[in-house]
Amino acid sequence: MNKSRFENGVELLNSIDGEAGSKVIESLQDICPDLAKYTIEYPFGDIYARLGLDLKSREIATVAALTALGNCVPQLKVHLNAALNVGCCENEIKEVILQMSIYAGFPAALNAMFAFKEVLFDRAA
């Protein structure tokens, strides 16, 4: 029997984000479990599961997009961890954030770099 979008999404979410992704989903259960379900099904059960890009490329794109948005620090931290989890090295992530300074501006890049600094500190602890 084929796995559901939800089951595939949970499996992929756990392999990419580990505990951080699960915490986000759990934090939605008491206020809007449907949003938690949709957050698993569409991004992870559908998009991340596609064959067109590897997970490392997807996380690089996600880090770039969240950096450019500039107002998504909690989500950015989850995906900075995820990028490291799927094989991005520290320097690659720094370069992506630095690249975003051109297109998103220095405030967005500074916020992202400080978020990355926190992620690295937390992972080292």
Side-chain angles (χ1 to χ4, degrees):
M1 187 166 133
N2 290 338
K3 291 182 184 176
S4 70
R5 291 170 64 215
F6 183 82
E7 291 169 326
N8 282 335
V10 166
E11 188 175 298
L12 200 48
L13 173 67
N14 289 336
S15 72
I16 296 168
D17 290 335
E19 189 177 306
S22 296
K23 284 182 179 179
V24 171
I25 299 308
E26 288 170 18
S27 70
L28 291 167
Q29 292 303 320
D30 64 341
I31 189 160
C32 190
D34 285 340
L35 184 56
K37 178 181 174 226
Y38 302 147
T39 300
I40 292 170
E41 287 180 340
Y42 180 63
F44 294 97
D46 292 341
I47 303 302
Y48 270 76
R50 294 175 57 84
L51 299 176
L53 291 173
D54 62 14
L55 293 177
K56 183 177 174 181
S57 298
R58 289 187 189 283
E59 285 303 331
I60 287 172
T62 303
V63 166
L66 291 171
T67 296
L69 285 170
N71 60 351
C72 305
V73 172
Q75 294 82 10
L76 177 60
K77 286 181 179 180
V78 168
H79 285 281
L80 289 166
N81 269 301
L84 292 167
N85 291 344
V86 298
C88 290
C89 70
E90 186 177 325
N91 194 57
E92 287 173 315
I93 296 170
K94 288 177 186 177
E95 288 296 324
V96 169
I97 294 169
L98 186 58
Q99 180 77 15
M100 291 303 98
S101 70
I102 301 167
Y103 300 100
F106 279 92
L110 287 166
N111 290 342
M113 199 64 77
F114 288 129
F116 190 43
K117 184 177 179 179
E118 289 179 35
V119 165
L120 292 173
F121 179 81
D122 291 345
R123 287 174 73 99

